[in-house]
Amino acid sequence: MRDRYERALDELSLTVRSPGRWATLRRSRTGAVTVELKRDTLRQLDEQRLAAELQVVLNGAYRAYREQGRKLRQQIFGPDYDDIQNASSV
């Protein structure tokens, strides 16, 4: 079951867009991650705004990946898996 979980986690794809839609992060099923900037982003945004847009995209991708991983664990190992793991580490 662990191999199945790790394989499924490796193959997770996701797409996250910044609130202003200036940046989009994509993770493909092969694990490749790309960040795409909307046309003219570098010309239209100042450094602080661009950094904020990218930070939101990266944080969102991290949260989405963790959440999808949690859902996969529940599907593969059962709905109580996380609770059991947390209780045994206390």
Side-chain angles (χ1 to χ4, degrees):
M1 280 199 305
R2 182 142 186 96
D3 288 341
R4 182 175 156 217
Y5 167 72
E6 289 176 1
R7 210 171 26 254
L9 191 61
D10 286 344
E11 293 176 357
L12 276 180
S13 62
L14 59 93
T15 300
V16 178
R17 288 184 180 82
S18 66
R21 298 251 200 245
W22 292 101
T24 302
L25 181 142
R26 288 186 178 87
R27 183 184 191 281
S28 72
R29 292 180 56 92
T30 64
V33 175
T34 59
V35 176
E36 181 179 312
L37 299 177
K38 186 175 164 182
R39 181 184 299 270
D40 297 328
T41 297
L42 296 176
R43 188 166 34 100
Q44 294 185 23
L45 298 185
D46 64 22
E47 184 179 351
Q48 288 179 322
R49 176 81 189 276
L50 177 60
E53 293 278 329
L54 292 172
Q55 184 175 9
V56 168
V57 164
L58 293 171
N59 288 341
Y62 177 75
R63 283 191 306 275
Y65 185 77
R66 287 183 50 99
E67 178 63 17
Q68 288 184 23
R70 184 188 64 75
K71 288 178 182 177
L72 276 173
R73 279 192 307 278
Q74 289 178 342
Q75 288 173 357
I76 293 171
F77 298 110
D80 299 329
Y81 180 78
D82 288 337
D83 293 337
I84 293 167
Q85 290 298 104
N86 290 335
S88 67
S89 64
V90 173

